[in-house]
Amino acid sequence: MTNPATIAGLTSEATTEPATLGEAAYQRLRADIVAGGLEAGKPLRLEALRQRYGLSFSPLREALMRLQSERLVVSAALRGFAVAPLSREEIKDATETRILIECEALRRSMRDGDDDWEAGIVATFHALGRQVDRMAATAGKADVAEVLVMEERHHQFHRALISACGSPRLLELADQLSIETQRYRLPSLTGRNIGAPPRDVSAEHREIMDAALRRSGDATTLLAEHYRRTSASIQAAMA
Amino acid sequence: MTNPATIAGLTSEATTEPATLGEAAYQRLRADIVAGGLEAGKPLRLEALRQRYGLSFSPLREALMRLQSERLVVSAALRGFAVAPLSREEIKDATETRILIECEALRRSMRDGDDDWEAGIVATFHALGRQVDRMAATAGKADVAEVLVMEERHHQFHRALISACGSPRLLELADQLSIETQRYRLPSLTGRNIGAPPRDVSAEHREIMDAALRRSGDATTLLAEHYRRTSASIQAAMA
DNA sequence: ATTTCCATGATTTTCGAAAATATTCTATTG
DNA sequence: CAATAGAATATTTTCGAAAATCATGGAAAT
């Protein structure tokens, strides 16, 4: 059965209580890795995790195996686990793979999407805009909780675009790649982001939305450029 | 130590000795699911698995978590695991996703592939042909071990085609989708395959190879057709 | 000075029992 | 007879100790 948290969203705020400790460990570990609470490259000692989360080895190991499949954790046999390192190569590969997956899913959604699909795009675009406005009002303070809410809205918008593709695999892959790339985005969003190019992300979103609703082939091009711009700025910051 | 290499010509990693029991459980479970030794849809009771493989719960659960990420196993919280069911929808989605992934990887490989890439294609094509000839000689007997060897060679050929793509993600996804679709192919290969359309698979492989070595855009079209033909025949047999 | 070997401590991996939860069966009620 | 509640059973999930393995450091040998 697919994990509802994977589909539902990114953040640790579980709308539903996890049924097992293994599931809880998975969600908390993933949230901490993505948000940087567990530093990239750092070894994940089981004894330390046991104390940190108040769990036993079994559910922790289960969660770590899952996270390893999602490339958030690496491991060597008998040598334990570590938070997957960040690298320019990885963000590049993740971004290009994401573009491949999401552009195909967007093409199919534009072909098959109905009124509900369109409504979902408009609704999530609006919600994202509201959140961006709210954060602009309290400018200066890069509150990490607020940033996480915005990232969740951002994810919901992009997911709405491809939600009518009809392929569970493409949607799951898109979710996984979204999580992976979020690891790279978050530091630059919470940090004070000096030297970032002046970029109107909201305008990019609006263009993508408009093209998608027009069922125009431009939508995939705009989507790819949107992701490549973000990736390039991250890579530049990783000098 | 029990060597699964006799049963599993399935993957390259199956030939190397697993370092942990969890890894061994993963390999043996996967081989048994793909080969049909564990029936699709059937519940995987831990007590039964413990006896069958002579392992404790921990490594078994670890392996099952990994297999769940690869869509070979499904589970519901507190209700245990089951072999992932087979369905027309799944083989369709898996095939189309595989085409998306491998065609992109083939395009990149044709763009960047060097002499070693070409040599790998020619070598694996030859090895596959030898195996097919060997099996044609002993026709009538659909030996499951021989079929597994052939599937392994088949996989190696297709992997050689895309091996120069430069993306670890695309290669890993292709491997996973290859395993998934193998579950669907094996029954029809071991069974006596009545009513199958007369199809020269070797000729298809040669055409794909030739086009790839010519760096012709036809290669991706031929590859897609190759996979779609197989998928269609499987779906037809699933009436 | 460098290497090799072994003891020591740290860490991962595995096990089987215990706890938690689901499922089945039976008895009872409406 | 159908439906329900509760006990009994089956199964999953979790725990902490034990076993296996790796990492570290120091002594002996070259």
Side-chain angles (χ1 to χ4, degrees), chain A residues 1 19 61-62 65-66 69 71 77 90 93-94 167-169 172-173 180, chain B residues 61-62 65-66 68-69 71 74-75 77 90 93 167-169 172-173 180:
Chain A
M1 212 69 68
R61 283 184 64 85
E62 260 179 42
M65 295 304 290
R66 284 175 68 179
S69 314
R71 292 179 173 268
E90 282 298 310
D93 190 20
S167 166
R169 273 176 184 74
E172 187 185 298
L173 286 171
E180 278 187 74
Chain B
R61 282 183 65 84
E62 263 180 40
M65 297 303 289
R66 283 176 69 180
Q68 193 184 357
S69 311
R71 292 178 173 270
V74 296
S75 87
E90 282 298 310
D93 190 19
S167 166
R169 273 176 183 75
E172 188 185 298
L173 286 170
E180 277 187 75

PDB file of all heavy atoms in Angstrom, chain A residues 1 19 61-62 65-66 69 71 77 90 93-94 167-169 172-173 180, chain B residues 61-62 65-66 68-69 71 74-75 77 90 93 167-169 172-173 180:
ATOM      1  N   MET A   1       0.855  -1.203   0.000  1.00  0.00           N
ATOM      2  CA  MET A   1       0.000   0.000   0.000  1.00  0.00           C
ATOM      3  C   MET A   1       0.880   1.239   0.000  1.00  0.00           C
ATOM      4  O   MET A   1       1.854   1.323   0.714  1.00  0.00           O
ATOM      5  CB  MET A   1      -0.897  -0.007   1.232  1.00  0.00           C
ATOM      6  CG  MET A   1      -2.227   0.638   1.009  1.00  0.00           C
ATOM      7  SD  MET A   1      -3.291  -0.296  -0.089  1.00  0.00           S
ATOM      8  CE  MET A   1      -3.638  -1.742   0.911  1.00  0.00           C
ATOM      9  N   ALA A  19       0.423   4.732  12.091  1.00  0.00           N
ATOM     10  CA  ALA A  19      -0.139   3.531  12.706  1.00  0.00           C
ATOM     11  C   ALA A  19       0.915   2.729  13.452  1.00  0.00           C
ATOM     12  O   ALA A  19       0.622   2.090  14.438  1.00  0.00           O
ATOM     13  CB  ALA A  19      -0.798   2.670  11.631  1.00  0.00           C
ATOM     14  N   ARG A  61      15.691   0.854  11.969  1.00  0.00           N
ATOM     15  CA  ARG A  61      16.306   0.214  10.809  1.00  0.00           C
ATOM     16  C   ARG A  61      15.329   0.120   9.646  1.00  0.00           C
ATOM     17  O   ARG A  61      15.696   0.341   8.483  1.00  0.00           O
ATOM     18  CB  ARG A  61      16.830  -1.168  11.176  1.00  0.00           C
ATOM     19  CG  ARG A  61      18.119  -1.153  11.953  1.00  0.00           C
ATOM     20  CD  ARG A  61      18.619  -2.560  12.203  1.00  0.00           C
ATOM     21  NE  ARG A  61      18.947  -3.254  10.989  1.00  0.00           N
ATOM     22  CZ  ARG A  61      20.109  -3.165  10.360  1.00  0.00           C
ATOM     23  NH1 ARG A  61      21.056  -2.390  10.849  1.00  0.00           N
ATOM     24  NH2 ARG A  61      20.337  -3.831   9.267  1.00  0.00           N
ATOM     25  N   GLU A  62      14.084  -0.207   9.944  1.00  0.00           N
ATOM     26  CA  GLU A  62      13.063  -0.249   8.907  1.00  0.00           C
ATOM     27  C   GLU A  62      12.967   1.088   8.183  1.00  0.00           C
ATOM     28  O   GLU A  62      12.971   1.146   6.952  1.00  0.00           O
ATOM     29  CB  GLU A  62      11.714  -0.556   9.547  1.00  0.00           C
ATOM     30  CG  GLU A  62      11.297  -1.990   9.432  1.00  0.00           C
ATOM     31  CD  GLU A  62       9.965  -2.196  10.105  1.00  0.00           C
ATOM     32  OE1 GLU A  62       9.072  -1.344   9.944  1.00  0.00           O
ATOM     33  OE2 GLU A  62       9.839  -3.197  10.807  1.00  0.00           O
ATOM     34  N   MET A  65      15.981   1.750   5.986  1.00  0.00           N
ATOM     35  CA  MET A  65      15.957   0.997   4.727  1.00  0.00           C
ATOM     36  C   MET A  65      15.074   1.704   3.706  1.00  0.00           C
ATOM     37  O   MET A  65      15.438   1.809   2.529  1.00  0.00           O
ATOM     38  CB  MET A  65      15.411  -0.415   4.971  1.00  0.00           C
ATOM     39  CG  MET A  65      16.251  -1.312   5.867  1.00  0.00           C
ATOM     40  SD  MET A  65      17.959  -1.530   5.337  1.00  0.00           S
ATOM     41  CE  MET A  65      17.735  -2.541   3.875  1.00  0.00           C
ATOM     42  N   ARG A  66      13.923   2.177   4.147  1.00  0.00           N
ATOM     43  CA  ARG A  66      13.037   2.882   3.221  1.00  0.00           C
ATOM     44  C   ARG A  66      13.693   4.149   2.697  1.00  0.00           C
ATOM     45  O   ARG A  66      13.629   4.454   1.505  1.00  0.00           O
ATOM     46  CB  ARG A  66      11.723   3.247   3.920  1.00  0.00           C
ATOM     47  CG  ARG A  66      10.789   2.079   4.093  1.00  0.00           C
ATOM     48  CD  ARG A  66       9.563   2.464   4.890  1.00  0.00           C
ATOM     49  NE  ARG A  66       8.674   3.397   4.181  1.00  0.00           N
ATOM     50  CZ  ARG A  66       7.540   3.847   4.699  1.00  0.00           C
ATOM     51  NH1 ARG A  66       7.171   3.456   5.908  1.00  0.00           N
ATOM     52  NH2 ARG A  66       6.782   4.661   4.016  1.00  0.00           N
ATOM     53  N   SER A  69      16.141   3.576  -0.027  1.00  0.00           N
ATOM     54  CA  SER A  69      15.544   3.405  -1.351  1.00  0.00           C
ATOM     55  C   SER A  69      15.209   4.747  -1.980  1.00  0.00           C
ATOM     56  O   SER A  69      15.163   4.867  -3.196  1.00  0.00           O
ATOM     57  CB  SER A  69      14.257   2.574  -1.253  1.00  0.00           C
ATOM     58  OG  SER A  69      14.440   1.438  -0.455  1.00  0.00           O
ATOM     59  N   ARG A  71      17.014   7.433  -1.606  1.00  0.00           N
ATOM     60  CA  ARG A  71      18.254   8.192  -1.782  1.00  0.00           C
ATOM     61  C   ARG A  71      18.427   9.308  -0.754  1.00  0.00           C
ATOM     62  O   ARG A  71      19.188  10.243  -0.980  1.00  0.00           O
ATOM     63  CB  ARG A  71      18.329   8.793  -3.185  1.00  0.00           C
ATOM     64  CG  ARG A  71      18.495   7.733  -4.270  1.00  0.00           C
ATOM     65  CD  ARG A  71      18.544   8.398  -5.643  1.00  0.00           C
ATOM     66  NE  ARG A  71      18.866   7.411  -6.670  1.00  0.00           N
ATOM     67  CZ  ARG A  71      20.099   7.143  -7.074  1.00  0.00           C
ATOM     68  NH1 ARG A  71      21.111   7.771  -6.556  1.00  0.00           N
ATOM     69  NH2 ARG A  71      20.319   6.232  -8.019  1.00  0.00           N
ATOM     70  N   ALA A  77      27.220  -2.191   4.154  1.00  0.00           N
ATOM     71  CA  ALA A  77      26.918  -3.342   4.990  1.00  0.00           C
ATOM     72  C   ALA A  77      27.840  -3.391   6.203  1.00  0.00           C
ATOM     73  O   ALA A  77      29.048  -3.222   6.101  1.00  0.00           O
ATOM     74  CB  ALA A  77      27.063  -4.628   4.170  1.00  0.00           C
ATOM     75  N   GLU A  90      24.438  15.366  -7.931  1.00  0.00           N
ATOM     76  CA  GLU A  90      23.139  14.832  -7.518  1.00  0.00           C
ATOM     77  C   GLU A  90      21.999  15.780  -7.852  1.00  0.00           C
ATOM     78  O   GLU A  90      20.964  15.356  -8.377  1.00  0.00           O
ATOM     79  CB  GLU A  90      23.155  14.548  -6.013  1.00  0.00           C
ATOM     80  CG  GLU A  90      23.869  13.274  -5.630  1.00  0.00           C
ATOM     81  CD  GLU A  90      23.215  12.029  -6.212  1.00  0.00           C
ATOM     82  OE1 GLU A  90      21.994  11.877  -6.062  1.00  0.00           O
ATOM     83  OE2 GLU A  90      23.925  11.228  -6.833  1.00  0.00           O
ATOM     84  N   ASP A  93      21.381  15.622 -11.595  1.00  0.00           N
ATOM     85  CA  ASP A  93      20.696  14.400 -12.029  1.00  0.00           C
ATOM     86  C   ASP A  93      19.250  14.390 -11.559  1.00  0.00           C
ATOM     87  O   ASP A  93      18.337  14.044 -12.315  1.00  0.00           O
ATOM     88  CB  ASP A  93      21.463  13.176 -11.491  1.00  0.00           C
ATOM     89  CG  ASP A  93      20.955  11.872 -12.102  1.00  0.00           C
ATOM     90  OD1 ASP A  93      20.309  11.921 -13.170  1.00  0.00           O
ATOM     91  OD2 ASP A  93      21.206  10.809 -11.505  1.00  0.00           O
ATOM     92  N   ALA A  94      19.038  14.788 -10.306  1.00  0.00           N
ATOM     93  CA  ALA A  94      17.679  14.799  -9.771  1.00  0.00           C
ATOM     94  C   ALA A  94      16.801  15.767 -10.561  1.00  0.00           C
ATOM     95  O   ALA A  94      15.647  15.443 -10.888  1.00  0.00           O
ATOM     96  CB  ALA A  94      17.700  15.179  -8.286  1.00  0.00           C
ATOM     97  N   SER A 167      -0.856   7.937 -14.191  1.00  0.00           N
ATOM     98  CA  SER A 167       0.184   6.948 -13.885  1.00  0.00           C
ATOM     99  C   SER A 167       0.634   7.039 -12.432  1.00  0.00           C
ATOM    100  O   SER A 167       1.290   8.001 -12.038  1.00  0.00           O
ATOM    101  CB  SER A 167       1.398   7.164 -14.794  1.00  0.00           C
ATOM    102  OG  SER A 167       2.506   6.433 -14.292  1.00  0.00           O
ATOM    103  N   PRO A 168       0.294   6.040 -11.619  1.00  0.00           N
ATOM    104  CA  PRO A 168       0.749   6.046 -10.222  1.00  0.00           C
ATOM    105  C   PRO A 168       2.271   6.124 -10.125  1.00  0.00           C
ATOM    106  O   PRO A 168       2.805   6.784  -9.229  1.00  0.00           O
ATOM    107  CB  PRO A 168       0.248   4.699  -9.685  1.00  0.00           C
ATOM    108  CG  PRO A 168      -0.835   4.271 -10.615  1.00  0.00           C
ATOM    109  CD  PRO A 168      -0.508   4.859 -11.941  1.00  0.00           C
ATOM    110  N   ARG A 169       2.958   5.472 -11.044  1.00  0.00           N
ATOM    111  CA  ARG A 169       4.425   5.481 -10.989  1.00  0.00           C
ATOM    112  C   ARG A 169       4.984   6.869 -11.211  1.00  0.00           C
ATOM    113  O   ARG A 169       5.882   7.310 -10.493  1.00  0.00           O
ATOM    114  CB  ARG A 169       4.990   4.541 -12.048  1.00  0.00           C
ATOM    115  CG  ARG A 169       5.119   3.117 -11.570  1.00  0.00           C
ATOM    116  CD  ARG A 169       5.587   2.215 -12.678  1.00  0.00           C
ATOM    117  NE  ARG A 169       5.617   0.844 -12.213  1.00  0.00           N
ATOM    118  CZ  ARG A 169       4.546   0.098 -12.024  1.00  0.00           C
ATOM    119  NH1 ARG A 169       3.348   0.604 -12.238  1.00  0.00           N
ATOM    120  NH2 ARG A 169       4.656  -1.148 -11.600  1.00  0.00           N
ATOM    121  N   GLU A 172       4.398   8.970  -8.131  1.00  0.00           N
ATOM    122  CA  GLU A 172       5.266   8.613  -7.005  1.00  0.00           C
ATOM    123  C   GLU A 172       6.698   9.074  -7.250  1.00  0.00           C
ATOM    124  O   GLU A 172       7.354   9.601  -6.343  1.00  0.00           O
ATOM    125  CB  GLU A 172       5.227   7.096  -6.781  1.00  0.00           C
ATOM    126  CG  GLU A 172       5.960   6.680  -5.529  1.00  0.00           C
ATOM    127  CD  GLU A 172       6.019   5.167  -5.381  1.00  0.00           C
ATOM    128  OE1 GLU A 172       4.951   4.548  -5.273  1.00  0.00           O
ATOM    129  OE2 GLU A 172       7.140   4.615  -5.382  1.00  0.00           O
ATOM    130  N   LEU A 173       7.177   8.900  -8.460  1.00  0.00           N
ATOM    131  CA  LEU A 173       8.528   9.360  -8.784  1.00  0.00           C
ATOM    132  C   LEU A 173       8.632  10.872  -8.627  1.00  0.00           C
ATOM    133  O   LEU A 173       9.627  11.381  -8.100  1.00  0.00           O
ATOM    134  CB  LEU A 173       8.892   8.948 -10.212  1.00  0.00           C
ATOM    135  CG  LEU A 173       9.205   7.470 -10.403  1.00  0.00           C
ATOM    136  CD1 LEU A 173       9.328   7.134 -11.888  1.00  0.00           C
ATOM    137  CD2 LEU A 173      10.501   7.120  -9.679  1.00  0.00           C
ATOM    138  N   GLU A 180      13.642  15.033  -2.693  1.00  0.00           N
ATOM    139  CA  GLU A 180      15.098  15.101  -2.843  1.00  0.00           C
ATOM    140  C   GLU A 180      15.567  16.518  -3.124  1.00  0.00           C
ATOM    141  O   GLU A 180      16.538  16.996  -2.525  1.00  0.00           O
ATOM    142  CB  GLU A 180      15.538  14.191  -4.000  1.00  0.00           C
ATOM    143  CG  GLU A 180      15.676  12.737  -3.626  1.00  0.00           C
ATOM    144  CD  GLU A 180      16.280  11.960  -4.775  1.00  0.00           C
ATOM    145  OE1 GLU A 180      17.486  12.093  -5.013  1.00  0.00           O
ATOM    146  OE2 GLU A 180      15.525  11.229  -5.442  1.00  0.00           O
TER     147      GLU A 180
ATOM    148  N   ARG B  61      11.794  -8.490   7.733  1.00  0.00           N
ATOM    149  CA  ARG B  61      11.047  -7.232   7.633  1.00  0.00           C
ATOM    150  C   ARG B  61      11.846  -6.184   6.854  1.00  0.00           C
ATOM    151  O   ARG B  61      11.289  -5.431   6.051  1.00  0.00           O
ATOM    152  CB  ARG B  61      10.707  -6.712   9.026  1.00  0.00           C
ATOM    153  CG  ARG B  61       9.546  -7.423   9.668  1.00  0.00           C
ATOM    154  CD  ARG B  61       9.212  -6.804  11.011  1.00  0.00           C
ATOM    155  NE  ARG B  61       8.736  -5.447  10.891  1.00  0.00           N
ATOM    156  CZ  ARG B  61       7.485  -5.111  10.639  1.00  0.00           C
ATOM    157  NH1 ARG B  61       6.582  -6.052  10.485  1.00  0.00           N
ATOM    158  NH2 ARG B  61       7.124  -3.852  10.542  1.00  0.00           N
ATOM    159  N   GLU B  62      13.128  -6.142   7.104  1.00  0.00           N
ATOM    160  CA  GLU B  62      13.977  -5.219   6.342  1.00  0.00           C
ATOM    161  C   GLU B  62      13.855  -5.460   4.851  1.00  0.00           C
ATOM    162  O   GLU B  62      13.658  -4.528   4.067  1.00  0.00           O
ATOM    163  CB  GLU B  62      15.437  -5.423   6.753  1.00  0.00           C
ATOM    164  CG  GLU B  62      15.927  -4.445   7.776  1.00  0.00           C
ATOM    165  CD  GLU B  62      17.363  -4.737   8.115  1.00  0.00           C
ATOM    166  OE1 GLU B  62      18.153  -5.055   7.201  1.00  0.00           O
ATOM    167  OE2 GLU B  62      17.702  -4.661   9.297  1.00  0.00           O
ATOM    168  N   MET B  65      10.497  -4.360   3.495  1.00  0.00           N
ATOM    169  CA  MET B  65      10.387  -2.911   3.327  1.00  0.00           C
ATOM    170  C   MET B  65      11.027  -2.469   2.013  1.00  0.00           C
ATOM    171  O   MET B  65      10.482  -1.641   1.283  1.00  0.00           O
ATOM    172  CB  MET B  65      11.058  -2.185   4.491  1.00  0.00           C
ATOM    173  CG  MET B  65      10.454  -2.408   5.869  1.00  0.00           C
ATOM    174  SD  MET B  65       8.706  -1.998   6.012  1.00  0.00           S
ATOM    175  CE  MET B  65       8.761  -0.205   5.905  1.00  0.00           C
ATOM    176  N   ARG B  66      12.195  -3.033   1.737  1.00  0.00           N
ATOM    177  CA  ARG B  66      12.864  -2.672   0.483  1.00  0.00           C
ATOM    178  C   ARG B  66      12.029  -3.094  -0.718  1.00  0.00           C
ATOM    179  O   ARG B  66      11.878  -2.336  -1.676  1.00  0.00           O
ATOM    180  CB  ARG B  66      14.235  -3.357   0.410  1.00  0.00           C
ATOM    181  CG  ARG B  66      15.285  -2.705   1.271  1.00  0.00           C
ATOM    182  CD  ARG B  66      16.588  -3.485   1.233  1.00  0.00           C
ATOM    183  NE  ARG B  66      17.268  -3.427  -0.069  1.00  0.00           N
ATOM    184  CZ  ARG B  66      18.422  -4.033  -0.310  1.00  0.00           C
ATOM    185  NH1 ARG B  66      19.008  -4.745   0.636  1.00  0.00           N
ATOM    186  NH2 ARG B  66      18.993  -3.924  -1.483  1.00  0.00           N
ATOM    187  N   GLN B  68       8.942  -3.487  -0.884  1.00  0.00           N
ATOM    188  CA  GLN B  68       7.755  -2.640  -0.981  1.00  0.00           C
ATOM    189  C   GLN B  68       8.071  -1.364  -1.770  1.00  0.00           C
ATOM    190  O   GLN B  68       7.275  -0.934  -2.601  1.00  0.00           O
ATOM    191  CB  GLN B  68       7.269  -2.289   0.425  1.00  0.00           C
ATOM    192  CG  GLN B  68       5.890  -1.692   0.450  1.00  0.00           C
ATOM    193  CD  GLN B  68       5.487  -1.272   1.850  1.00  0.00           C
ATOM    194  OE1 GLN B  68       6.226  -1.492   2.813  1.00  0.00           O
ATOM    195  NE2 GLN B  68       4.328  -0.679   1.966  1.00  0.00           N
ATOM    196  N   SER B  69       9.223  -0.784  -1.524  1.00  0.00           N
ATOM    197  CA  SER B  69       9.621   0.405  -2.275  1.00  0.00           C
ATOM    198  C   SER B  69       9.745   0.101  -3.760  1.00  0.00           C
ATOM    199  O   SER B  69       9.599   0.988  -4.593  1.00  0.00           O
ATOM    200  CB  SER B  69      10.962   0.945  -1.767  1.00  0.00           C
ATOM    201  OG  SER B  69      10.964   1.065  -0.373  1.00  0.00           O
ATOM    202  N   ARG B  71       7.829  -1.991  -5.345  1.00  0.00           N
ATOM    203  CA  ARG B  71       6.523  -2.423  -5.861  1.00  0.00           C
ATOM    204  C   ARG B  71       6.428  -3.922  -6.092  1.00  0.00           C
ATOM    205  O   ARG B  71       5.576  -4.371  -6.849  1.00  0.00           O
ATOM    206  CB  ARG B  71       6.174  -1.694  -7.157  1.00  0.00           C
ATOM    207  CG  ARG B  71       5.908  -0.216  -6.952  1.00  0.00           C
ATOM    208  CD  ARG B  71       5.617   0.457  -8.285  1.00  0.00           C
ATOM    209  NE  ARG B  71       5.210   1.835  -8.099  1.00  0.00           N
ATOM    210  CZ  ARG B  71       3.944   2.220  -7.937  1.00  0.00           C
ATOM    211  NH1 ARG B  71       2.984   1.332  -7.972  1.00  0.00           N
ATOM    212  NH2 ARG B  71       3.628   3.492  -7.764  1.00  0.00           N
ATOM    213  N   VAL B  74       3.373  -5.470  -1.295  1.00  0.00           N
ATOM    214  CA  VAL B  74       2.476  -4.444  -0.759  1.00  0.00           C
ATOM    215  C   VAL B  74       2.236  -4.751   0.714  1.00  0.00           C
ATOM    216  O   VAL B  74       2.444  -5.877   1.158  1.00  0.00           O
ATOM    217  CB  VAL B  74       1.133  -4.406  -1.513  1.00  0.00           C
ATOM    218  CG1 VAL B  74       1.334  -3.997  -2.959  1.00  0.00           C
ATOM    219  CG2 VAL B  74       0.447  -5.754  -1.419  1.00  0.00           C
ATOM    220  N   SER B  75       1.804  -3.740   1.452  1.00  0.00           N
ATOM    221  CA  SER B  75       1.544  -3.971   2.867  1.00  0.00           C
ATOM    222  C   SER B  75       0.559  -2.951   3.403  1.00  0.00           C
ATOM    223  O   SER B  75       0.448  -1.842   2.886  1.00  0.00           O
ATOM    224  CB  SER B  75       2.830  -3.909   3.669  1.00  0.00           C
ATOM    225  OG  SER B  75       3.116  -2.573   4.042  1.00  0.00           O
ATOM    226  N   ALA B  77      -0.534  -1.362   7.289  1.00  0.00           N
ATOM    227  CA  ALA B  77      -0.024  -1.311   8.655  1.00  0.00           C
ATOM    228  C   ALA B  77      -0.738  -2.312   9.550  1.00  0.00           C
ATOM    229  O   ALA B  77      -1.971  -2.414   9.553  1.00  0.00           O
ATOM    230  CB  ALA B  77      -0.188   0.096   9.211  1.00  0.00           C
ATOM    231  N   GLU B  90      -1.078  -2.466 -14.198  1.00  0.00           N
ATOM    232  CA  GLU B  90       0.305  -2.364 -13.733  1.00  0.00           C
ATOM    233  C   GLU B  90       1.301  -2.592 -14.863  1.00  0.00           C
ATOM    234  O   GLU B  90       2.270  -1.846 -15.000  1.00  0.00           O
ATOM    235  CB  GLU B  90       0.547  -3.377 -12.605  1.00  0.00           C
ATOM    236  CG  GLU B  90      -0.001  -2.954 -11.270  1.00  0.00           C
ATOM    237  CD  GLU B  90       0.643  -1.681 -10.744  1.00  0.00           C
ATOM    238  OE1 GLU B  90       1.881  -1.597 -10.726  1.00  0.00           O
ATOM    239  OE2 GLU B  90      -0.099  -0.764 -10.368  1.00  0.00           O
ATOM    240  N   ASP B  93       1.326   0.483 -17.074  1.00  0.00           N
ATOM    241  CA  ASP B  93       2.029   1.628 -16.481  1.00  0.00           C
ATOM    242  C   ASP B  93       3.531   1.370 -16.422  1.00  0.00           C
ATOM    243  O   ASP B  93       4.343   2.244 -16.747  1.00  0.00           O
ATOM    244  CB  ASP B  93       1.465   1.902 -15.077  1.00  0.00           C
ATOM    245  CG  ASP B  93       1.964   3.219 -14.499  1.00  0.00           C
ATOM    246  OD1 ASP B  93       2.430   4.083 -15.286  1.00  0.00           O
ATOM    247  OD2 ASP B  93       1.898   3.394 -13.270  1.00  0.00           O
ATOM    248  N   SER B 167      23.422   8.956 -16.057  1.00  0.00           N
ATOM    249  CA  SER B 167      22.523   9.239 -14.932  1.00  0.00           C
ATOM    250  C   SER B 167      22.302   7.994 -14.081  1.00  0.00           C
ATOM    251  O   SER B 167      21.640   7.043 -14.505  1.00  0.00           O
ATOM    252  CB  SER B 167      21.176   9.726 -15.460  1.00  0.00           C
ATOM    253  OG  SER B 167      20.213   9.683 -14.411  1.00  0.00           O
ATOM    254  N   PRO B 168      22.839   7.997 -12.860  1.00  0.00           N
ATOM    255  CA  PRO B 168      22.606   6.858 -11.965  1.00  0.00           C
ATOM    256  C   PRO B 168      21.122   6.617 -11.732  1.00  0.00           C
ATOM    257  O   PRO B 168      20.689   5.467 -11.630  1.00  0.00           O
ATOM    258  CB  PRO B 168      23.286   7.290 -10.660  1.00  0.00           C
ATOM    259  CG  PRO B 168      24.241   8.363 -11.043  1.00  0.00           C
ATOM    260  CD  PRO B 168      23.665   9.038 -12.244  1.00  0.00           C
ATOM    261  N   ARG B 169      20.341   7.692 -11.655  1.00  0.00           N
ATOM    262  CA  ARG B 169      18.907   7.527 -11.405  1.00  0.00           C
ATOM    263  C   ARG B 169      18.211   6.798 -12.536  1.00  0.00           C
ATOM    264  O   ARG B 169      17.411   5.889 -12.312  1.00  0.00           O
ATOM    265  CB  ARG B 169      18.257   8.897 -11.207  1.00  0.00           C
ATOM    266  CG  ARG B 169      18.324   9.382  -9.777  1.00  0.00           C
ATOM    267  CD  ARG B 169      17.759  10.774  -9.665  1.00  0.00           C
ATOM    268  NE  ARG B 169      17.908  11.247  -8.297  1.00  0.00           N
ATOM    269  CZ  ARG B 169      19.036  11.635  -7.768  1.00  0.00           C
ATOM    270  NH1 ARG B 169      20.148  11.594  -8.489  1.00  0.00           N
ATOM    271  NH2 ARG B 169      19.087  12.052  -6.519  1.00  0.00           N
ATOM    272  N   GLU B 172      19.118   3.146 -12.434  1.00  0.00           N
ATOM    273  CA  GLU B 172      18.465   2.421 -11.349  1.00  0.00           C
ATOM    274  C   GLU B 172      16.986   2.215 -11.634  1.00  0.00           C
ATOM    275  O   GLU B 172      16.446   1.127 -11.402  1.00  0.00           O
ATOM    276  CB  GLU B 172      18.641   3.178 -10.030  1.00  0.00           C
ATOM    277  CG  GLU B 172      18.155   2.397  -8.832  1.00  0.00           C
ATOM    278  CD  GLU B 172      18.219   3.220  -7.545  1.00  0.00           C
ATOM    279  OE1 GLU B 172      19.333   3.608  -7.173  1.00  0.00           O
ATOM    280  OE2 GLU B 172      17.160   3.469  -6.949  1.00  0.00           O
ATOM    281  N   LEU B 173      16.338   3.229 -12.142  1.00  0.00           N
ATOM    282  CA  LEU B 173      14.925   3.092 -12.485  1.00  0.00           C
ATOM    283  C   LEU B 173      14.727   2.036 -13.567  1.00  0.00           C
ATOM    284  O   LEU B 173      13.794   1.230 -13.500  1.00  0.00           O
ATOM    285  CB  LEU B 173      14.368   4.440 -12.965  1.00  0.00           C
ATOM    286  CG  LEU B 173      14.139   5.473 -11.868  1.00  0.00           C
ATOM    287  CD1 LEU B 173      13.820   6.831 -12.470  1.00  0.00           C
ATOM    288  CD2 LEU B 173      13.005   5.014 -10.960  1.00  0.00           C
ATOM    289  N   GLU B 180      10.427  -5.566 -12.494  1.00  0.00           N
ATOM    290  CA  GLU B 180       8.964  -5.593 -12.406  1.00  0.00           C
ATOM    291  C   GLU B 180       8.341  -6.271 -13.613  1.00  0.00           C
ATOM    292  O   GLU B 180       7.439  -7.107 -13.476  1.00  0.00           O
ATOM    293  CB  GLU B 180       8.423  -4.164 -12.318  1.00  0.00           C
ATOM    294  CG  GLU B 180       8.439  -3.584 -10.932  1.00  0.00           C
ATOM    295  CD  GLU B 180       7.723  -2.250 -10.925  1.00  0.00           C
ATOM    296  OE1 GLU B 180       6.483  -2.236 -10.990  1.00  0.00           O
ATOM    297  OE2 GLU B 180       8.416  -1.208 -10.866  1.00  0.00           O
TER     298      GLU B 180
END
